[in-house]
Every structure is written in structure tokens, then in C-alpha cells.
Amino acid sequence: MVNNQTKKIYSVTLGAFFLGNLAWAQAGPTWVDTQTKSIRPPVTTMAALPAQPGTPMHVVVALKLRNRAQLDQQVARMRADPLHAQHLSKEAFLRQYAPLSSQVNQVVRYLQKQGFRNIRVADNRLLIQADGTALTAGNAFNTSIRLYSQGEHARFGNTRPAQVPAALGGTVLSIMGLQNVYKAHFMARPVAAGTLAATPKGVSGHEPFTFSAIYNGTKAPNASKATIGIIAQGDLTQTLADLQTFQQKHKLNVPVDVVQTGDASSDTSGLVEWNMDSQSSLGAAGGVAKQMLFYVAPTLENNALTVAFNQAVSDNQAQAINVSLGECENDAKNDGSADAQDQIFQTAVAQGQTFAVSSGDSGSDECGNGGTSQSYPAVSPYVVAVGGTTVTTSSNGSYLSESTWSGGGGGPSDTESAPDWQAQSGVLGSSTQRGAPDIAFDGDPASGALVLVNGAQQQVGGTSLSAPIFTGIWARMQSIRNNQAGFAGPTIYRLAKSKPKTFHDVTTGNNGSFSAKKGWDYATGWGSIDIYALSQAIQQGL
């Protein structure tokens, strides 16, 4: 890792010491490409300073699924009848689809030979972590590394696509950790000072425990049999203290555990985010769940988050998993993390897990390039993308209406094809690209959550609120089906056609390039969900 610095850091190829790399490549193996491409240089890049070959780098090598076509077919059969599908156990996944131990050992030996240390293999054999330097990474993956200035921070990134020897080409999918210029960011949006006085009547903040009632869940079963997972990062000490206070306030007793997926971190910048995720998902779950599991990464860099996602899937304990994070989909694709994470999310679908992902808080242009671009992992075909609305309630807190929150992410993906359950619904017209979001819930900070932070309430919104609301709701549906409800995506689209009153159709507002309309749209998907109506449909088997 490159430490943050206040002085300017400049961009330069590590010229001299990579001459050795090039000479070795010419005399060495035949190289083949991985899914990790060269990064897009940051716009703040300035002129040059040489980097040190000893710059530490923590790489995560993603291995290819085995029998991928067979897994595709099995997942397609599950999506055809999601509530009655036979889901994979961890053991079945290892037998049928995980990389072979011999393939893993071959990659491990290669990393050792190249000088990497602290090599660790994930339980499901999809990822291999290793510690090295810019020199070892450059040599091992036939690439070059540059240093960049990004504001006041020093960043590094690979300027050529990452490659591996041909003998490993059938095994290695991508290499993460070769860049830390682009990474995920929080989707939490605190309410802007002075804006609440101008909000319309009925638009105000909501205590997280009331989301169940707002979306008509008072009479619906809670999530007593289901485990809620939350992807988080950094130091959660205060988050856990505030969650305990939240539970005591509402007389709840949900067990909470933390799974560290990397080195411990003292970073508390995500405090508001993780507090909103945990309190809002528990509130939407009806205040009851079997357990809440935090999967905690040390950073928001793609190598660290991929490990956290994979740990939640490898453990296969949480049935509904919240991700209130995202980044420009094009950067995730170039980095190779999108391909690696898609494999992980597909494995989750096969195991009957659902990842609920914030669609983004930058409207229809997550990448900020003046067009329409979306947030990853929201556009993955193996997750449910959750957009944002402004919810209006009556004086007693009951639901009245919703409109599109202007910041809610949504639109056609630049990088991902539409899954069959979306394409076959007919909502995309002639487009073959994944469309986000699938559904939407309260996300406007003006109607956001009154989250306990350091023991006091703060009003916060963003699709970071929308996603945990759905996470809690889907945990209830999993509980109804004894944790066999499976992946939520196909069920949502089927119900939208067969039982449209399950949804609150949002028909007003826009997120920039896309306006809400009757039925599904790029602004709010199918709209929000009536929890009681959904629970009835799930109980009846659709």
C-alpha cells in the first residue's frame, strides 16, 4: 500500500527496474491475457517521480469456475422456479464447480516462485491472496506499475493488462490489487443543512424501526429464521455500540457477529453507513432475525471487497446480504473485479443467497462522463439492484405515495448483459443490456432514516438506505420459506407480472436521463414492495 501524503505525487513508469521484467518476459513463458486490463489514468495525474520497486502490494488472484456452462444451466433451472429450487450446498459447490486443488496448487507454486509471501487460499478455492511488491507483481503478471497523484493521496495502478503464463491461462481469471486508484464508495447521503424546511408536506425522516410499518409489514411474518449479512469496512466498534442501543430501545434481541475478512482497520469513516445498514435492515425485518453477520473488509479497494463478498458466500450462513457500496462499472470491469465478483455472486445464487445492492447516488451517470453509466456491483446479473425514492407518509406514519429520488442510480449497463429473468420479462425493449434498478425504496435524504450515530439521531438517505430496507424484507421471505426462497430477482419479475398489486408502482420524477412511468422503468424498477402482499405470495408459492 502507498501511504497518504500531503505532497504532490507524480506519474511515471517504473522504467529502469521494469527493463528487467521485459527482458525476463522475452526469455520466459508465453503470456496470455487475464480479465484485468490497464486502468484509466486519473484526471488529477501530474508529471513524474520514480516509484520504489519495493512498494507493498496485496494481490488477490481470482480463479475460474470449473464447469461454468453446467453451472449456468443449473442456475437457469433454479431461476425458472426459484421458490422450489434445490440449492447447492458448500460441499456440492466444491465437488462440481470450484477450481481443483491441483489448479490451486499450480497457481500457489507460481506465486511462491515469483517471490510472493503470506499466500492464502479461500475455503471455496475461488480466490488466492498474496503479499508482494510492485516489482514482484510486475514480473509475475507481465505488467508495469505507475504512481499517480489523486488529490493529496498517492495511488498506484497497472498501465498494461495483467497476464499470466499460458500454463495458467485456463485457471486464472483476473488479478486484483494492481491498482488502488479506483475503488468502491459509500452510498449514504446525510440530509443537507437547511433543506428540510422546504420539503413538501408528508416528507420527513423516519426512525428505522418504522420501515416495516411504512411498507405494510406489521402483519407479515418477521425474519426469525433468517440471517442478515452486511458487507462493511473498517472499525465497527461504535456501529456495534449504536446497534446495541437501537436494540435496547426497541426491546430487540438479535445476535450480532463480526467476521473480519482481512487485517483489522482503525478506519471509522463508514460509521454512518454501517449504522444505517444495520438499523434499517433490522427495522425492515420486523425487528427480528436469527442473526446479523458483518463481513468486514480492511479497505474499500476492490481486492479487499472481493474477499469480503467471497467470505459471505463461502460461509453460506446469510440468506440476505446487504451491499451499500459501488463504483463506476467501467472501472470495475477494467480492474477485473467485476468478472471475479460476478462468479462469486453467481455462486451465491446457486446456494440460494440474495445480495441486495445500492444502485448508486449519482442518478443516471455513476461514472460522471456526461452519458449514462451505472454502478457496479448493482448491474451484476446475479444481484438485486435497489434504487431510491422519496416516500410521503401521513401524519400517523402510514404510506401515502412515492416518487423518484433524483439521485437514485438507474439505466442500462455499459458492461453487463441482461439476465434471462429480466430479458424475458419484456421490460427492456430492444436492449440486451442489464437494466437497473430492479426495485426501489426510500432513499431521498429528505425522507430518510433517523439513524442512531454515537447515540444521537442523524437523518440520512441515499440508496444506502434503499438496499438495507429490501435486505430486511427479503430476510422475512427467506424465513417464511425456511431459508429456501432463493435468489429474489426472478421472483420479483414474476410477481410484477402475475400479482402487480404486490408493488407500489412509482410513476413520477426522474433520475436525470430516465423518468418513472407505469410499470418497470430505469428510474425505480418495479417500484417498492408491499411487504404483506409479498409475504402472502411467498407463502402461497407464487
Side-chain angles (χ1 to χ4, degrees):
M1 301 293 292
V2 179
N3 294 326
N4 293 347
Q5 301 178 34
T6 56
K7 64 181 181 180
K8 293 180 179 178
I9 306 296
Y10 300 101
S11 168
V12 65
T13 303
L14 305 183
F17 84 83
F18 274 115
L19 290 176
N21 170 37
L22 294 175
W24 181 81
Q26 292 170 0
T30 300
W31 297 96
V32 296
D33 288 340
T34 69
Q35 292 302 312
T36 298
K37 312 305 179 186
S38 55
I39 69 161
R40 171 174 59 91
V43 295
T44 53
T45 300
M46 303 185 72
L49 262 183
Q52 294 298 317
T55 299
M57 298 184 72
H58 178 76
V59 301
V60 177
V61 180
L63 306 188
K64 295 177 181 178
L65 284 165
R66 189 163 44 95
N67 302 323
R68 182 69 180 268
Q70 180 181 332
L71 180 60
D72 291 343
Q73 294 173 359
Q74 184 162 352
V75 167
R77 289 193 296 270
M78 291 177 178
R79 291 192 296 243
D81 190 8
L83 295 187
H84 301 93
Q86 184 65 43
H87 300 116
L88 283 179
S89 64
K90 292 191 296 184
E91 294 74 21
F93 172 80
L94 287 171
R95 286 195 307 270
Q96 299 176 51
Y97 303 116
L100 295 171
S101 296
S102 58
Q103 294 175 302
V104 171
N105 292 338
Q106 187 180 19
V107 177
V108 168
R109 286 194 297 270
Y110 178 73
L111 294 173
Q112 289 173 331
K113 183 178 179 180
Q114 295 304 311
F116 285 97
R117 296 292 180 265
N118 301 322
I119 299 172
R120 288 148 285 170
V121 178
D123 290 343
N124 62 5
R125 303 200 290 266
L126 285 181
L127 302 176
I128 301 175
Q129 300 183 67
D131 293 324
T133 64
L135 178 60
T136 55
N139 285 337
F141 305 117
N142 197 33
T143 188
S144 59
I145 310 295
R146 283 190 177 186
L147 286 184
Y148 297 96
S149 66
Q150 195 174 47
E152 296 181 341
H153 304 307
R155 302 292 186 221
F156 58 79
N158 57 303
T159 62
R160 296 200 310 271
Q163 297 181 314
V164 293
L168 301 179
T171 299
V172 174
L173 178 68
S174 62
I175 298 98
M176 290 148 287
L178 299 181
Q179 69 88 18
N180 64 356
V181 175
Y182 302 105
K183 60 182 181 179
H185 56 85
F186 311 131
M187 301 296 185
R189 287 286 188 93
V191 67
T195 61
L196 293 181
T199 56
K201 182 179 180 180
V203 175
S204 61
H206 304 283
E207 210 279 344
F209 197 70
T210 66
F211 286 120
S212 176
I214 289 171
Y215 288 106
N216 195 29
T218 303
K219 296 181 180 179
N222 56 39
S224 61
K225 298 178 183 178
T227 294
I228 294 171
I230 296 174
I231 303 299
Q233 175 266 333
D235 183 352
L236 265 62
T237 302
Q238 188 59 47
T239 291
L240 297 175
D242 287 327
L243 182 57
Q244 183 179 19
T245 301
F246 178 81
Q247 292 213 55
Q248 291 172 343
K249 176 181 177 181
H250 297 289
K251 298 180 173 56
L252 310 180
N253 188 29
V254 176
V256 178
D257 281 315
V258 172
V259 180
Q260 294 286 350
T261 64
D263 295 337
S265 168
S266 60
D267 183 11
T268 59
S269 61
L271 172 62
V272 174
E273 180 66 76
W274 321 131
N275 285 25
M276 181 160 64
D277 289 351
S278 54
Q279 295 170 34
S280 300
S281 59
L282 187 53
V288 180
K290 178 181 178 181
Q291 188 180 21
M292 180 172 284
L293 287 173
F294 288 92
Y295 286 91
V296 185
T299 74
L300 294 180
E301 293 168 19
N302 290 336
N303 54 352
L305 282 180
T306 303
V307 172
F309 294 150
N310 191 59
Q311 190 68 56
V313 174
S314 181
D315 287 353
N316 197 16
Q317 295 296 311
Q319 291 78 39
I321 304 165
N322 185 80
V323 181
S324 291
L325 300 163
E327 66 180 303
C328 170
E329 59 175 320
N330 298 310
D331 293 328
K333 185 68 175 178
N334 284 344
D335 178 67
S337 57
D339 288 276
Q341 291 171 19
D342 274 351
Q343 283 197 155
I344 293 167
F345 297 139
Q346 184 181 23
T347 303
V349 171
Q351 295 178 168
Q353 298 172 289
T354 293
F355 276 82
V357 183
S358 301
S359 69
D361 290 355
S362 300
S364 55
D365 185 14
E366 170 67 26
C367 299
N369 56 21
T372 60
S373 55
Q374 303 311 309
S375 178
Y376 188 88
V379 292
S380 171
Y382 307 107
V383 308
V384 173
V386 190
T389 68
T390 303
V391 66
T392 301
T393 55
S394 66
S395 57
N396 65 2
S398 60
Y399 180 95
L400 288 179
S401 65
E402 282 171 285
S403 60
T404 305
W405 174 49
S406 60
S413 172
D414 289 337
T415 61
E416 297 273 12
S417 297
D420 54 5
W421 45 271
Q422 185 176 50
Q424 293 168 9
S425 70
V427 301
L428 299 176
S430 60
S431 175
T432 60
Q433 296 301 107
R434 170 75 161 116
D438 299 305
I439 50 174
F441 291 92
D442 186 18
D444 186 342
S447 60
L450 299 171
V451 181
L452 276 177
V453 181
N454 292 313
Q457 285 188 336
Q458 290 187 24
Q459 188 164 329
V460 189
T463 53
S464 275
L465 171 58
S466 315
I469 290 174
F470 177 68
T471 300
I473 292 172
W474 192 248
R476 298 168 82 152
M477 304 307 119
Q478 286 279 20
S479 189
I480 289 171
R481 303 290 298 187
N482 292 311
N483 294 326
Q484 295 298 308
F487 177 51
T491 298
I492 290 170
Y493 280 72
R494 180 180 296 187
L495 281 175
K497 295 292 187 180
S498 64
K499 298 183 178 181
K501 291 185 179 180
T502 305
F503 300 84
H504 304 122
D505 192 7
V506 179
T507 59
T508 59
N510 67 80
N511 69 349
S513 296
F514 303 104
S515 296
K517 58 184 179 60
K518 186 176 181 180
W520 186 92
D521 52 67
Y522 287 121
T524 60
W526 292 110
S528 65
I529 287 174
D530 181 302
I531 299 174
Y532 181 74
L534 179 61
S535 71
Q536 292 293 294
I538 296 293
Q539 286 175 320
Q540 295 163 10
L542 302 185

